[in-house]
Amino acid sequence: MLRRIFDHILEGDAPAATECVQRALADGMDPATILNQAMIAAMDETGRRFEAGEIYVPEMLVAGRAMQSALGALKPFLVQADLEPLGKVVIGTVQGDLHDIGKNLVALMLQGAGFEVIDLGTDVAPARFVQAVREHEPMLVAMSALLTTTMTNMSTTVVALRAAGLRDRVHVMVGGAPVTRQYADQVGADMYEPDAASAARAARAAAKRRPSV
Ligand code: B1M
């Protein structure tokens, strides 16, 4: 079943991928295994094939759509309804970047961990992050980037938060494939997390302490 989910996502067959995920869950398969071993593995293989020139942007796009659709089937298993609210998180993919699968996964896990998530979507300009912090007063700003050319906008956003006098009121977490802990330190973020599950754990821990700048 994992192999079939992997193949359907790679082929961009959203209905088949979603149906297989539903069947795997109904058979009692662990959601994290489905996510990591089939779904994220299929995205990695898509990226490998794209880099090797074996597929092009349209194929990558349909694989991404199949992934999003299959993630929908996983959602009820990743979000627990009975957790106490822990505060608000403003999340978005940084300016210039349209990748949202990882960001959506992080948003889902944060929701599952008990946060109210304000999702600003993709291609989020620093000024929009600033505006959302003013409006919603979150405890955490979470930024995702998938491109080496856009990750620099994490720094621009931190600078904008600082200029608006808001940086010391929020924790800042960054993540996404090209981002590292060292890069997070460099851009003035408080936290770097490599995946959605660890992002949710770190956010829960951060909710218990004041932001440090
Ligand atoms: Co794009 N793309 N893409 N793409 N794409 C990559 C990222 C790439 C690595 C492919 C490759 O060449 N191997 C490459 C980037 C190279 C680089 O910069 N180093 C690339 C490129 C080049 C491009 C374009 C420039 C292609 C072009 O037009 N010539 C273009 C850029 C468009 C833009 O953004 N301006 C482009 C477009 C696209 C699509 C639109 C077709 C599509 C996106 C669809 C969508 O997101 N709705 C797409 C896809 C699907 C990919 C790959 C194949 C898959 C990305 C993905 O969803 N992975 C990708 C290759 C790859 O990643 N292996 C690739 C699964 C997802 C769950 O992982 O987002 O890493 P990820 O999230 C992880 C962690 O990183 C972490 O948690 C998740 C796991 O639990 N995480 C966080 C993410 N955000 C976090 C935030 C946190 C904490 C953890 O805290 C706040």
Side-chain angles (χ1 to χ4, degrees):
M1 192 52 95
L2 290 175
R3 179 73 217 190
R4 286 174 65 186
I5 295 168
F6 177 91
D7 286 342
H8 288 317
I9 291 178
L10 212 49
E11 292 155 7
D13 190 339
T18 309
E19 195 197 317
C20 282
V21 170
Q22 282 162 344
R23 280 176 43 198
L25 290 167
D27 288 348
M29 202 179 275
D30 172 35
T33 304
I34 301 172
L35 179 65
N36 294 317
Q37 293 183 20
M39 299 168 68
I40 291 180
M43 286 288 94
D44 286 344
E45 177 60 11
T46 305
R48 191 200 64 73
R49 290 185 187 185
F50 174 75
E51 226 173 316
E54 294 166 21
I55 61 167
Y56 299 94
V57 173
E59 288 94 337
M60 195 155 70
L61 190 61
V62 288
R65 287 199 185 132
M67 173 77 173
Q68 299 269 33
S69 170
L71 265 180
L74 217 54
K75 187 173 173 175
F77 293 81
L78 299 178
V79 177
Q80 285 168 262
D82 54 350
L83 285 173
E84 262 186 46
L86 279 172
K88 294 182 191 173
V89 177
V90 161
I91 192 168
T93 304
V94 295
Q95 190 163 35
D97 201 320
L98 301 175
H99 296 85
D100 66 356
I101 295 170
K103 182 267 296 169
N104 292 346
L105 203 52
V106 174
L108 203 65
M109 293 292 209
L110 286 168
Q111 219 182 314
F115 291 94
E116 182 186 337
V117 177
I118 296 113
D119 188 345
L120 304 180
T122 58
D123 190 16
V124 181
R128 274 191 64 215
F129 276 110
V130 168
Q131 185 198 342
V133 171
R134 280 214 180 94
E135 189 182 337
H136 300 285
E137 300 184 349
M139 55 80 49
L140 172 70
V141 172
M143 288 184 268
S144 179
L146 264 282
L147 299 171
T148 45
T149 48
T150 59
M151 61 197 269
T152 50
N153 288 324
M154 291 175 157
S155 167
T156 322
T157 304
V158 172
V159 168
L161 286 169
R162 206 168 279 140
L166 298 169
R167 178 62 187 91
D168 57 354
R169 298 198 206 158
V170 288
H171 296 281
V172 173
M173 184 192 289
V174 293
V179 182
T180 60
R181 192 170 301 277
Q182 195 189 1
Y183 190 72
D185 291 342
Q186 203 179 307
V187 301
D190 304 302
M191 288 173 273
Y192 157 77
E193 292 301 329
D195 59 57
S198 67
R201 274 196 301 276
R204 279 187 74 84
K208 293 180 190 132
R209 35 174 222 270
R210 288 173 57 79
S212 59
V213 185

